[in-house]
Amino acid sequence: MISIGDIYNQDINFLFGSGASFGLLPTLQLQVQTAEGDSRYTLEDLATKFEHEQDRRLIPLFMHYYASCIRPAEQLSLEQALAEEPGATVIKNYRTFLTTALEMVKRRKALDRRCNVFTTNYDGCFPLVADSLIKEGNIDFVLNDGARGFTRRILQARNFGSYFCQAGVFGRYQSSIPQINLIHLHGSVYWSKLDTAIQVGYDLSGREGLLDDNAMALLQPFSAALNNPTSTLADVPYADFSDTALREFWAKYEQIPIVNPTKWKFHETVYEEHYYQMLRLLSYELEKPNAVLITFGFSFADEHILNLVMRSLSNPGLQVFVCCYSKSGHAAMEDKFKGHRNVKCLMLQDGVMDFTAFNEQVLAWPEATAPAPGTPTSPAAPPVQQPRLRPMQTSRT
Protein backbone atom coordinates (compact mmCIF):
# COMPACT_ATOMS: atom_id res chain seq x y z
CA MET A 1 0.00 0.00 0.00
CA ILE A 2 0.97 3.66 -0.17
CA SER A 3 1.04 5.39 3.19
CA ILE A 4 -0.77 8.68 2.70
CA GLY A 5 0.45 9.86 6.07
CA ASP A 6 4.03 9.63 4.78
CA ILE A 7 3.58 11.43 1.45
CA TYR A 8 0.75 13.95 1.80
CA ASN A 9 3.15 16.78 2.65
CA GLN A 10 5.50 16.10 -0.27
CA ASP A 11 5.30 17.25 -3.89
CA ILE A 12 2.77 14.73 -5.18
CA ASN A 13 2.32 13.84 -8.84
CA PHE A 14 -0.04 11.27 -10.32
CA LEU A 15 0.24 9.75 -13.79
CA PHE A 16 -2.92 8.12 -15.17
CA GLY A 17 -3.29 6.02 -18.30
CA SER A 18 -6.20 4.43 -20.15
CA GLY A 19 -6.68 1.79 -17.44
CA ALA A 20 -8.43 4.41 -15.30
CA SER A 21 -11.31 4.81 -17.80
CA PHE A 22 -11.53 1.13 -18.73
CA GLY A 23 -15.15 0.01 -18.74
CA LEU A 24 -16.37 3.40 -19.84
CA LEU A 25 -14.02 3.89 -22.78
CA PRO A 26 -11.93 1.23 -24.57
CA THR A 27 -8.18 0.83 -24.18
CA LEU A 28 -5.80 0.37 -27.11
CA GLN A 29 -5.88 -3.41 -26.70
CA LEU A 30 -7.30 -5.32 -29.69
CA GLN A 31 -8.40 -8.96 -29.76
CA VAL A 32 -6.80 -10.00 -33.05
CA GLN A 33 -3.95 -12.48 -32.55
CA THR A 34 -0.33 -11.87 -33.47
CA ALA A 35 1.44 -14.18 -35.92
CA GLU A 36 2.84 -16.21 -33.05
CA GLY A 37 -0.66 -16.77 -31.68
CA ASP A 38 0.44 -16.35 -28.06
CA SER A 39 -0.47 -12.67 -27.71
CA ARG A 40 -2.74 -9.99 -29.17
CA TYR A 41 -2.00 -6.80 -31.02
CA THR A 42 -2.44 -3.44 -29.40
CA LEU A 43 -3.71 -0.72 -31.69
CA GLU A 44 -0.31 0.98 -31.40
CA ASP A 45 1.56 -2.16 -32.50
CA LEU A 46 -0.76 -2.84 -35.41
CA ALA A 47 -0.76 0.77 -36.61
CA THR A 48 3.04 0.83 -36.51
CA LYS A 49 3.14 -2.45 -38.47
CA PHE A 50 0.67 -1.21 -41.10
CA GLU A 51 2.55 2.07 -41.46
CA HIS A 52 5.91 0.32 -41.90
CA GLU A 53 4.51 -2.11 -44.48
CA GLN A 54 2.41 0.57 -46.24
CA ASP A 55 -0.64 -1.60 -45.69
CA ARG A 56 -3.86 -0.11 -47.07
CA ARG A 57 -5.60 -1.09 -43.84
CA LEU A 58 -3.80 1.68 -41.90
CA ILE A 59 -6.40 4.41 -42.40
CA PRO A 60 -9.36 2.03 -41.76
CA LEU A 61 -7.55 1.09 -38.53
CA PHE A 62 -7.62 4.76 -37.51
CA MET A 63 -11.27 4.92 -38.55
CA HIS A 64 -11.89 2.08 -36.11
CA TYR A 65 -9.88 3.91 -33.45
CA TYR A 66 -11.87 7.08 -34.04
CA ALA A 67 -15.24 5.29 -33.96
CA SER A 68 -14.51 3.19 -30.87
CA CYS A 69 -12.35 5.53 -28.76
CA ILE A 70 -12.30 9.16 -29.87
CA ARG A 71 -15.94 9.75 -30.86
CA PRO A 72 -17.31 8.18 -27.63
CA ALA A 73 -14.98 10.48 -25.64
CA GLU A 74 -16.33 13.48 -27.57
CA GLN A 75 -19.92 12.46 -26.80
CA LEU A 76 -19.30 11.55 -23.15
CA SER A 77 -21.59 13.09 -20.55
CA LEU A 78 -21.81 12.41 -16.84
CA GLU A 79 -25.50 11.54 -17.08
CA GLN A 80 -24.81 9.00 -19.83
CA ALA A 81 -21.91 7.45 -17.94
CA LEU A 82 -23.89 7.11 -14.71
CA ALA A 83 -26.90 5.57 -16.45
CA GLU A 84 -25.57 2.02 -16.39
CA GLU A 85 -22.66 -0.19 -15.43
CA PRO A 86 -19.72 -0.27 -15.78
CA GLY A 87 -19.72 3.46 -16.50
CA ALA A 88 -21.23 4.33 -13.11
CA THR A 89 -18.41 2.49 -11.32
CA VAL A 90 -15.76 4.27 -13.40
CA ILE A 91 -17.22 7.68 -12.52
CA LYS A 92 -17.49 6.70 -8.87
CA ASN A 93 -13.81 5.74 -8.89
CA TYR A 94 -12.79 9.09 -10.40
CA ARG A 95 -14.85 10.82 -7.73
CA THR A 96 -13.24 8.79 -4.95
CA PHE A 97 -9.75 9.52 -6.25
CA LEU A 98 -10.37 13.27 -6.56
CA THR A 99 -11.81 13.39 -3.05
CA THR A 100 -8.81 11.50 -1.67
CA ALA A 101 -6.34 13.78 -3.48
CA LEU A 102 -8.11 16.87 -2.18
CA GLU A 103 -8.15 15.54 1.37
CA MET A 104 -4.40 15.08 1.04
CA VAL A 105 -3.55 18.52 -0.29
CA LYS A 106 -5.83 20.52 1.98
CA ARG A 107 -3.80 19.31 4.96
CA ARG A 108 -0.62 20.83 3.56
CA LYS A 109 0.70 24.22 4.65
CA ALA A 110 -1.50 27.20 3.92
CA LEU A 111 0.08 28.37 0.64
CA ASP A 112 1.01 25.02 -0.88
CA ARG A 113 -2.16 23.00 -1.28
CA ARG A 114 -1.58 21.61 -4.73
CA CYS A 115 -0.85 18.37 -6.55
CA ASN A 116 -0.41 17.47 -10.21
CA VAL A 117 -2.41 14.93 -12.18
CA PHE A 118 -0.70 14.05 -15.45
CA THR A 119 -2.81 11.94 -17.78
CA THR A 120 -2.41 10.43 -21.23
CA ASN A 121 -6.21 10.11 -21.48
CA TYR A 122 -8.00 12.63 -23.67
CA ASP A 123 -11.49 12.00 -22.26
CA GLY A 124 -13.43 14.27 -19.92
CA CYS A 125 -13.68 12.08 -16.83
CA PHE A 126 -11.56 14.34 -14.63
CA PRO A 127 -13.16 17.70 -15.56
CA LEU A 128 -16.72 16.31 -15.64
CA VAL A 129 -16.43 14.69 -12.20
CA ALA A 130 -14.63 17.73 -10.77
CA ASP A 131 -17.39 19.99 -12.09
CA SER A 132 -19.97 17.79 -10.39
CA LEU A 133 -18.11 17.97 -7.07
CA ILE A 134 -17.83 21.76 -7.29
CA LYS A 135 -21.55 22.11 -8.03
CA GLU A 136 -22.42 20.10 -4.93
CA GLY A 137 -20.66 22.76 -2.87
CA ASN A 138 -19.27 20.44 -0.20
CA ILE A 139 -15.63 20.79 -1.29
CA ASP A 140 -14.01 24.09 -2.25
CA PHE A 141 -11.24 23.44 -4.76
CA VAL A 142 -9.84 24.38 -8.16
CA LEU A 143 -9.22 22.07 -11.09
CA ASN A 144 -6.62 23.94 -13.13
CA ASP A 145 -6.60 22.73 -16.75
CA GLY A 146 -4.05 25.36 -17.80
CA ALA A 147 -6.56 27.50 -19.71
CA ARG A 148 -7.44 31.15 -19.09
CA GLY A 149 -10.00 33.44 -20.70
CA PHE A 150 -13.72 34.14 -20.85
CA THR A 151 -15.40 33.75 -24.24
CA ARG A 152 -12.29 31.92 -25.46
CA ARG A 153 -10.15 29.97 -23.02
CA ILE A 154 -6.55 29.65 -24.20
CA LEU A 155 -4.19 26.94 -22.96
CA GLN A 156 -0.74 28.05 -21.78
CA ALA A 157 1.84 26.01 -19.88
CA ARG A 158 2.68 28.90 -17.55
CA ASN A 159 -0.83 28.78 -16.08
CA PHE A 160 0.00 25.57 -14.21
CA GLY A 161 2.21 27.68 -11.92
CA SER A 162 -0.76 29.79 -10.80
CA TYR A 163 -2.96 29.16 -7.80
CA PHE A 164 -5.82 30.90 -6.04
CA CYS A 165 -5.66 32.33 -2.52
CA GLN A 166 -8.35 33.35 -0.08
CA ALA A 167 -7.72 36.33 2.16
CA GLY A 168 -9.53 37.63 5.20
CA VAL A 169 -11.68 40.75 4.89
CA PHE A 170 -8.97 42.84 6.54
CA GLY A 171 -6.10 40.94 4.94
CA ARG A 172 -5.04 39.35 8.21
CA TYR A 173 -4.57 35.90 6.71
CA GLN A 174 -4.08 34.18 3.38
CA SER A 175 -4.79 30.59 2.49
CA SER A 176 -4.61 28.82 -0.86
CA ILE A 177 -7.64 26.94 -2.12
CA PRO A 178 -6.92 23.21 -2.63
CA GLN A 179 -5.92 22.79 -6.27
CA ILE A 180 -5.34 19.96 -8.70
CA ASN A 181 -3.40 20.73 -11.87
CA LEU A 182 -4.76 18.58 -14.71
CA ILE A 183 -2.10 18.13 -17.38
CA HIS A 184 -3.08 16.29 -20.57
CA LEU A 185 0.13 14.80 -21.94
CA HIS A 186 -1.50 13.31 -25.05
CA GLY A 187 -3.97 16.07 -25.80
CA SER A 188 -7.70 16.31 -25.18
CA VAL A 189 -10.89 16.06 -27.21
CA TYR A 190 -11.76 19.46 -25.71
CA TRP A 191 -8.85 21.18 -27.45
CA SER A 192 -8.97 22.89 -30.81
CA LYS A 193 -6.51 24.95 -32.79
CA LEU A 194 -7.06 28.72 -32.79
CA ASP A 195 -4.45 30.36 -35.03
CA THR A 196 -1.18 29.66 -33.19
CA ALA A 197 -2.85 28.86 -29.86
CA ILE A 198 -4.82 26.00 -28.29
CA GLN A 199 -8.40 26.75 -27.31
CA VAL A 200 -10.18 24.72 -24.62
CA GLY A 201 -13.96 24.32 -24.76
CA TYR A 202 -16.08 21.72 -22.97
CA ASP A 203 -19.25 22.07 -25.05
CA LEU A 204 -18.89 19.58 -27.90
CA SER A 205 -22.60 19.26 -28.67
CA GLY A 206 -22.16 20.92 -32.06
CA ARG A 207 -19.15 18.88 -33.15
CA GLU A 208 -19.96 16.64 -36.10
CA GLY A 209 -18.51 13.16 -36.40
CA LEU A 210 -16.01 12.25 -39.10
CA LEU A 211 -17.85 9.06 -40.09
CA ASP A 212 -21.45 8.99 -41.30
CA ASP A 213 -23.81 5.99 -41.14
CA ASN A 214 -22.67 4.64 -44.52
CA ALA A 215 -19.01 4.79 -43.48
CA MET A 216 -19.80 3.05 -40.20
CA ALA A 217 -21.57 0.27 -42.11
CA LEU A 218 -18.53 -0.21 -44.37
CA LEU A 219 -16.25 -0.24 -41.34
CA GLN A 220 -18.27 -2.79 -39.36
CA PRO A 221 -16.71 -6.03 -40.77
CA PHE A 222 -13.23 -4.59 -40.28
CA SER A 223 -13.94 -3.65 -36.64
CA ALA A 224 -15.61 -7.00 -35.98
CA ALA A 225 -12.47 -8.84 -37.06
CA LEU A 226 -10.26 -6.66 -34.83
CA ASN A 227 -12.50 -7.43 -31.84
CA ASN A 228 -12.75 -11.18 -32.53
CA PRO A 229 -10.41 -13.20 -30.25
CA THR A 230 -10.23 -16.00 -32.84
CA SER A 231 -9.10 -13.67 -35.65
CA THR A 232 -5.62 -13.50 -37.08
CA LEU A 233 -4.29 -10.66 -39.20
CA ALA A 234 -5.24 -12.59 -42.35
CA ASP A 235 -8.88 -12.47 -41.19
CA VAL A 236 -8.90 -8.65 -41.03
CA PRO A 237 -10.49 -7.56 -44.33
CA TYR A 238 -9.56 -4.62 -46.52
CA ALA A 239 -12.40 -2.19 -45.81
CA ASP A 240 -14.31 -1.21 -48.93
CA PHE A 241 -13.50 2.51 -48.91
CA SER A 242 -12.48 4.44 -51.99
CA ASP A 243 -9.13 6.21 -52.06
CA THR A 244 -10.96 9.53 -52.03
CA ALA A 245 -12.92 8.61 -48.90
CA LEU A 246 -9.74 7.52 -47.15
CA ARG A 247 -7.95 10.76 -48.05
CA GLU A 248 -10.89 12.89 -46.92
CA PHE A 249 -11.09 11.11 -43.57
CA TRP A 250 -7.34 11.37 -43.00
CA ALA A 251 -7.29 15.11 -43.73
CA LYS A 252 -9.94 15.66 -41.04
CA TYR A 253 -8.43 13.16 -38.63
CA GLU A 254 -5.08 14.98 -38.69
CA GLN A 255 -6.76 18.01 -37.13
CA ILE A 256 -7.73 16.13 -33.97
CA PRO A 257 -5.54 17.37 -31.09
CA ILE A 258 -4.41 14.05 -29.63
CA VAL A 259 -1.26 11.98 -29.80
CA ASN A 260 -1.68 9.17 -32.29
CA PRO A 261 -1.13 5.65 -30.93
CA THR A 262 1.92 5.09 -33.09
CA LYS A 263 5.53 6.13 -32.84
CA TRP A 264 4.82 9.58 -34.30
CA LYS A 265 3.16 12.29 -32.27
CA PHE A 266 1.05 15.33 -33.10
CA HIS A 267 0.55 16.41 -36.70
CA GLU A 268 0.09 20.09 -35.77
CA THR A 269 3.16 22.05 -34.63
CA VAL A 270 1.18 24.03 -32.04
CA TYR A 271 0.09 20.81 -30.32
CA GLU A 272 3.53 19.26 -30.55
CA GLU A 273 5.14 22.31 -28.92
CA HIS A 274 2.69 22.10 -26.04
CA TYR A 275 3.35 18.36 -25.73
CA TYR A 276 7.05 18.95 -25.17
CA GLN A 277 6.31 21.79 -22.74
CA MET A 278 4.23 19.37 -20.69
CA LEU A 279 7.01 16.79 -20.75
CA ARG A 280 9.39 19.46 -19.44
CA LEU A 281 6.88 20.28 -16.70
CA LEU A 282 6.75 16.61 -15.69
CA SER A 283 10.54 16.47 -15.68
CA TYR A 284 10.72 19.63 -13.56
CA GLU A 285 8.25 18.26 -11.02
CA LEU A 286 10.16 14.98 -10.70
CA GLU A 287 13.43 16.83 -10.06
CA LYS A 288 12.11 18.43 -6.85
CA PRO A 289 13.80 17.29 -3.61
CA ASN A 290 10.72 15.56 -2.14
CA ALA A 291 8.88 14.51 -5.28
CA VAL A 292 6.47 11.58 -5.37
CA LEU A 293 5.12 9.97 -8.56
CA ILE A 294 2.22 7.51 -8.41
CA THR A 295 1.23 5.82 -11.66
CA PHE A 296 -2.00 3.95 -12.34
CA GLY A 297 -3.40 2.40 -15.51
CA PHE A 298 -0.25 3.41 -17.35
CA SER A 299 1.91 0.91 -19.26
CA PHE A 300 4.89 3.20 -20.01
CA ALA A 301 4.47 2.41 -23.71
CA ASP A 302 5.15 6.08 -24.46
CA GLU A 303 8.91 6.09 -24.88
CA HIS A 304 9.22 9.83 -24.25
CA ILE A 305 7.55 9.54 -20.84
CA LEU A 306 9.44 6.36 -19.97
CA ASN A 307 12.81 7.92 -20.80
CA LEU A 308 11.93 11.07 -18.87
CA VAL A 309 11.00 9.09 -15.75
CA MET A 310 14.15 6.99 -16.08
CA ARG A 311 16.32 10.11 -16.16
CA SER A 312 14.50 11.54 -13.16
CA LEU A 313 15.27 8.46 -11.07
CA SER A 314 18.77 9.85 -10.53
CA ASN A 315 17.06 12.26 -8.10
CA PRO A 316 17.61 10.55 -4.71
CA GLY A 317 14.64 12.41 -3.22
CA LEU A 318 12.17 11.03 -5.78
CA GLN A 319 9.83 8.17 -4.83
CA VAL A 320 7.99 6.34 -7.60
CA PHE A 321 5.07 3.95 -7.02
CA VAL A 322 4.09 1.95 -10.10
CA CYS A 323 0.68 0.32 -9.67
CA CYS A 324 0.47 -2.86 -11.75
CA TYR A 325 -2.79 -4.33 -12.96
CA SER A 326 -1.73 -7.99 -12.90
CA LYS A 327 1.13 -10.29 -12.00
CA SER A 328 2.36 -10.33 -15.58
CA GLY A 329 2.31 -6.54 -15.66
CA HIS A 330 4.15 -6.48 -12.36
CA ALA A 331 6.89 -8.71 -13.77
CA ALA A 332 7.23 -6.45 -16.82
CA MET A 333 7.52 -3.31 -14.67
CA GLU A 334 10.04 -4.95 -12.36
CA ASP A 335 12.18 -5.72 -15.38
CA LYS A 336 11.73 -2.21 -16.79
CA PHE A 337 12.82 -0.49 -13.57
CA LYS A 338 15.33 -3.00 -12.27
CA GLY A 339 18.26 -1.46 -10.43
CA HIS A 340 16.35 1.62 -9.27
CA ARG A 341 15.87 1.52 -5.52
CA ASN A 342 13.49 4.47 -5.45
CA VAL A 343 10.87 2.61 -7.50
CA LYS A 344 8.27 0.37 -5.89
CA CYS A 345 6.14 -1.84 -8.13
CA LEU A 346 2.85 -2.65 -6.41
CA MET A 347 0.44 -5.48 -7.14
CA LEU A 348 -2.34 -7.34 -5.41
CA GLN A 349 -1.59 -10.87 -4.37
CA ASP A 350 -5.22 -11.84 -5.00
CA GLY A 351 -7.02 -10.46 -8.03
CA VAL A 352 -6.18 -7.53 -10.29
CA MET A 353 -5.57 -3.90 -9.43
CA ASP A 354 -8.40 -2.08 -11.15
CA PHE A 355 -9.41 1.47 -10.24
CA THR A 356 -11.69 0.27 -7.43
CA ALA A 357 -8.89 -1.77 -5.86
CA PHE A 358 -6.50 1.17 -6.25
CA ASN A 359 -8.88 3.43 -4.32
CA GLU A 360 -9.76 0.88 -1.64
CA GLN A 361 -6.47 -0.88 -1.05
CA VAL A 362 -3.58 1.18 -2.38
CA LEU A 363 -4.33 4.89 -1.99
CA ALA A 364 -6.96 4.32 0.67
CA TRP A 365 -7.95 6.90 3.23
CA PRO A 366 -11.35 6.34 4.89
CA GLU A 367 -11.72 10.02 5.75
CA ALA A 368 -11.46 10.91 2.07
CA THR A 369 -14.27 8.68 0.87
CA ALA A 370 -16.66 9.69 3.64
CA PRO A 371 -15.59 12.98 5.24
CA ALA A 372 -17.24 13.59 8.57
CA PRO A 373 -19.08 16.86 9.20
CA GLY A 374 -16.73 19.54 10.41
CA THR A 375 -13.62 17.88 8.96
CA PRO A 376 -10.78 20.31 9.73
CA THR A 377 -9.13 22.06 6.83
CA SER A 378 -6.06 23.12 8.76
CA PRO A 379 -2.67 21.86 7.61
CA ALA A 380 -2.23 19.71 10.68
CA ALA A 381 -0.97 16.23 9.87
CA PRO A 382 -3.70 13.60 9.60
CA PRO A 383 -3.68 10.52 11.79
CA VAL A 384 -1.92 7.66 10.04
CA GLN A 385 -4.63 5.03 9.61
CA GLN A 386 -4.09 1.66 8.00
CA PRO A 387 -7.07 0.52 5.92
CA ARG A 388 -7.94 -3.15 5.82
CA LEU A 389 -6.20 -4.81 2.91
CA ARG A 390 -6.14 -8.04 1.09
CA PRO A 391 -2.56 -9.23 0.65
CA MET A 392 -0.58 -7.10 -1.75
CA GLN A 393 2.93 -7.70 -2.94
CA THR A 394 5.41 -4.84 -2.96
CA SER A 395 8.75 -5.07 -4.68
CA ARG A 396 11.63 -2.65 -4.58
CA THR A 397 13.59 -2.80 -7.79
Side-chain angles (χ1 to χ4, degrees), residues 273-292:
E273 288 177 352
H274 184 76
Y275 171 75
Y276 286 110
Q277 286 180 333
M278 294 302 93
L279 288 182
R280 284 194 292 270
L281 176 60
L282 175 58
S283 177
Y284 169 76
E285 292 295 334
L286 298 186
E287 292 295 331
K288 290 183 176 180
N290 295 303
V292 172

Side-chain angles (χ1 to χ4, degrees), residues 288-306:
K288 290 183 176 180
N290 295 303
V292 172
L293 175 66
I294 300 170
T295 77
F296 174 75
F298 186 71
S299 65
F300 284 95
D302 185 308
E303 295 176 355
H304 291 82
I305 296 177
L306 173 62

